[in-house]
Amino acid sequence: MTYLAVFEDKSSGVRQADLIAALERDWPAVVIHERQGQQESRGVVWTYSEGGQELEGYSHVDGTCIYLDSPLEVAARFAIWFRGLVPADVEMFFCDEGYSFAGKLEHDMNSGDAMAIFLGE
C-alpha cells in the first residue's frame, strides 16, 4: 500500500538536498536512486530494507510530500521522521493515496501514534 506524509505550505517544502542528507544521516541502509523516466513530479527516490520489510519512497519535487510504498509499520516510522524535518507550525497529514484515512501528524507523535491514525484508534 502507498502512504503519504503531506503538507500544503510550499514555502516550507523540504529541499531535495536536505532530504538526501537527512536520509543518509538517519537511515544508513537507505539507497538513493536517480529519478527515472518522465516522472517530473518526483524528487528524491529511495529504497530501504530492514528485517525483511521493504520500502520504496519518493518525495514530491516541491518537497511537500513523501510517498511510501511499504508495510504500515515502516511507512509510519518514515512519516514521523519526515514530520521532524518540517517546522512545527506547519500542519502535516498521514494518509493513504486514496485518502480513505487521514490524520494530523504532530511533532510529539511516535510511529505507533501514526499507525493508530490508519487503524482508527
Side-chain angles (χ1 to χ4, degrees):
M1 178 176 274
T2 301
Y3 302 93
L4 289 75
V6 60
F7 59 97
E8 294 185 15
D9 184 350
K10 294 189 186 312
S11 68
S12 296
V14 178
R15 292 177 339 123
Q16 290 185 38
D18 294 338
L19 179 59
I20 290 170
L23 281 165
E24 291 175 340
R25 177 191 67 226
D26 298 335
W27 302 92
V30 80
V31 177
I32 307 290
H33 303 276
E34 298 222 12
R35 184 171 63 196
Q36 298 174 357
Q38 299 298 319
Q39 298 290 338
E40 292 181 15
S41 64
R42 290 187 182 193
V44 179
V45 179
W46 71 94
T47 54
Y48 176 77
S49 179
E50 177 183 272
Q53 294 185 316
E54 303 285 328
L55 174 135
E56 292 181 24
Y58 64 93
S59 67
H60 191 275
V61 73
D62 69 5
T64 62
C65 181
I66 57 172
Y67 300 81
L68 306 162
D69 186 11
S70 71
L72 175 59
E73 178 183 328
V74 180
R77 289 176 54 210
F78 269 87
I80 291 298
W81 168 81
F82 188 61
R83 168 76 260 195
L85 300 179
V86 178
D89 63 333
V90 173
E91 281 191 335
M92 179 181 285
F93 296 90
F94 184 50
C95 59
D96 67 353
E97 65 184 342
Y99 298 102
S100 61
F101 80 93
K104 213 187 257 193
L105 288 176
E106 303 289 351
H107 261 271
D108 61 348
M109 293 175 93
N110 61 39
S111 61
D113 297 327
M115 288 192 313
I117 292 170
F118 176 75
L119 300 172
E121 298 174 356

